[in-house]
Amino acid sequence: MAQGILEEVLMNTALVEDLAEVAKDEALLQGVVMRTRETPNSSELVTYAPLTLFPTSVPKAVFLQALAVQTHYNTLVDRISQDSDFLKEALASTIEVDDFTARLFRIYQQILKEGRSQSIVLGLNRSDYMLDQRDDGTSSLKQIEINTIAASFGGLSSRTPDVHRHVLKVAGRFEESQRILDNNPAAGLAQGIAKAWELYGSERLDFINQRNLYGRLISLSMCFRNIRSIRRRFDDVSRTGSLDQDKRLFIDGLEVAVVYFRNGYMPQNYTTEKSWDVRLMMERSQAVKCPDISTHLAGTKKVQQVLARPGVLEKFFPDQPQAVELIRATFAGLYTLDMGPEGDKTVAMALAEPDRFVLKPQREGGGNNIYGSEICQVLEAVKDSTERTAYILMDKIHPAPVHNYLLRRDAPLKMSTCLSELGVFGAYVRRGEDMVMNECVGHLLRTKSSEHSDGGVAAGVAVLDNPLLI
């Protein structure tokens, strides 16, 4: 965080209060808004999206490292999605005990059996990191996870730089305001969707965005390409969706070129059996899925843990040792909980020093990870059961705490001790064997109070931020 800024304004309560109002007004002006919790399905009432008052300092070298490795992560996810033997082996223990992953995997097996209907692959992902503080005071980039489905906040993070620039100018910090980076992941993500639409082969096909509450900028970008965008829930598609004899997908009578899943990553997204039927129908279709079922599975926590094993990355990059080195440098310690001596060792290690680790289930969306004494409670209950294989264990990352003000609607203005998480967006499009697009398209910085172990912006814990490179 811009610690130097805060040191000068901390004692000036009146200035901080004024800047907070400036930030809120500028957020509304720039479109950094979201629907309210009281009326989540209404566009009549909105409020500013939660954000920090000041940008957060991030070491330039570490930031550039995160950007540089992203295209390799794009390639890695794509290659994993094409390797059925690897996915079957990696997820074998997980699908025995985790029903949600098992249901996704059954759809995957069905598609493998029937054969893929579409050779075009669209990947829009976000790789999330924290900066682990070393003993010598320097920071090391360590990956938290990679999101291969519903990688959100590309729209809002494209708008927040102007908010912090304005706040810094009002505070008299003109030099720092010039160091806020331009950032437009919405345009890059939209470019990936447009490229997939273009390859699908029709100017009049429609793009379905499943309940995209945060992707308005993507939708707007698509409009400029004369691509119609519609939003539907699984239940809606169940009523009005169908496949023709050529497996073309129609919804509301409109042919769909690209399906972007804004949800579908949590069990509660599948409210009925019909929801699962819809997911299978769309996977069977010729429409380009983002993600398709194999790419969805490539983003699971278990796959993340297996990739950290010696020799596994080399399998996917046999002639690219530099790519292997760049990716592996971002790995935190990851440990299996499979049945057997190795998993037993992991259990003993976690029970002996739970504060060193994070216990991670196969879930996305924030708020699912387990920390501290709760790790002992969970593992004591499942340590002798195959149920433990529903989790992986990861080293806990220790970023340096900083101070900032977290602006939220109806929340008191107070200084907080904060931790930040850096996300990097990637977009790729492949047609058959030809990778036609593979790019790093932007970044996202989220900051939360250090009193919260887990949870993102949507969960009401983290807020939007911007990096100030140092």
Side-chain angles (χ1 to χ4, degrees), residues 1-3 6 56-57 399-404 416-420 447:
M1 181 197 48
Q3 194 76 35
L6 284 181
T56 294
S57 296
V402 294
H403 295 102
N404 210 330
S416 299
T417 302
C418 302
L419 306 174
S420 296
T447 295

Side-chain angles (χ1 to χ4, degrees), residues 47-85:
T47 184
Y48 64 90
L51 73 162
T52 59
L53 181 55
F54 300 108
T56 294
S57 296
V58 174
K60 183 177 180 179
V62 177
F63 179 80
L64 295 178
Q65 178 190 359
L67 300 189
V69 76
Q70 184 58 43
T71 55
H72 296 306
Y73 266 116
N74 293 346
T75 301
L76 176 61
V77 169
D78 184 51
R79 290 177 179 175
I80 291 170
S81 74
Q82 299 176 70
D83 193 329
S84 58
D85 289 340

Side-chain angles (χ1 to χ4, degrees), residues 366-410:
N368 300 298
N369 294 337
I370 301 164
Y371 300 84
S373 61
E374 289 187 47
I375 291 178
C376 296
Q377 295 174 22
V378 173
L379 287 183
E380 286 288 359
V382 302
K383 64 180 182 180
D384 297 320
S385 164
T386 56
E387 290 181 33
R388 78 188 197 190
T389 62
Y391 302 88
I392 67 164
L393 193 72
M394 188 176 86
D395 283 344
K396 188 175 181 180
I397 300 168
H398 297 280
V402 294
H403 295 102
N404 210 330
Y405 292 90
L406 308 182
L407 305 182
R408 289 192 184 89
R409 177 188 146 205
D410 297 332

Side-chain angles (χ1 to χ4, degrees), residues 385-456:
S385 164
T386 56
E387 290 181 33
R388 78 188 197 190
T389 62
Y391 302 88
I392 67 164
L393 193 72
M394 188 176 86
D395 283 344
K396 188 175 181 180
I397 300 168
H398 297 280
V402 294
H403 295 102
N404 210 330
Y405 292 90
L406 308 182
L407 305 182
R408 289 192 184 89
R409 177 188 146 205
D410 297 332
L413 181 64
K414 64 176 183 177
M415 189 178 68
S416 299
T417 302
C418 302
L419 306 174
S420 296
E421 186 173 318
L422 174 66
V424 179
F425 291 98
Y428 65 89
V429 180
R430 175 173 54 82
R431 187 175 195 175
E433 298 297 319
D434 183 21
M435 186 71 85
V436 298
M437 176 182 177
N438 183 7
E439 297 180 11
C440 170
V441 297
H443 60 269
L444 166 71
L445 193 69
R446 292 168 294 173
T447 295
K448 64 186 177 183
S449 170
S450 60
E451 66 189 47
H452 298 289
S453 296
D454 198 19

Side-chain angles (χ1 to χ4, degrees), residues 334-377:
L334 291 153
Y335 311 96
T336 182
L337 283 162
D338 285 353
M339 304 307 291
E342 188 178 3
D344 292 343
K345 181 180 178 181
T346 300
V347 171
M349 186 170 62
L351 291 175
E353 297 182 273
D355 289 335
R356 283 184 50 207
F357 304 102
V358 181
L359 189 64
K360 305 177 78 170
Q362 308 300 314
R363 293 292 178 271
E364 306 297 334
N368 300 298
N369 294 337
I370 301 164
Y371 300 84
S373 61
E374 289 187 47
I375 291 178
C376 296
Q377 295 174 22

Side-chain angles (χ1 to χ4, degrees), residues 50-124:
L51 73 162
T52 59
L53 181 55
F54 300 108
T56 294
S57 296
V58 174
K60 183 177 180 179
V62 177
F63 179 80
L64 295 178
Q65 178 190 359
L67 300 189
V69 76
Q70 184 58 43
T71 55
H72 296 306
Y73 266 116
N74 293 346
T75 301
L76 176 61
V77 169
D78 184 51
R79 290 177 179 175
I80 291 170
S81 74
Q82 299 176 70
D83 193 329
S84 58
D85 289 340
F86 174 80
L87 283 174
K88 289 175 183 176
E89 183 177 350
L91 295 172
S93 61
T94 302
I95 62 177
E96 291 296 321
V97 295
D98 187 276
D99 182 64
F100 179 65
T101 307
R103 296 206 68 164
L104 293 172
F105 195 81
R106 285 199 291 272
I107 292 176
Y108 172 61
Q109 289 180 307
Q110 186 68 28
I111 297 304
L112 286 180
K113 181 180 178 181
E114 297 176 5
R116 298 176 187 265
S117 299
Q118 181 54 263
S119 64
I120 301 166
V121 174
L122 168 64
L124 304 178

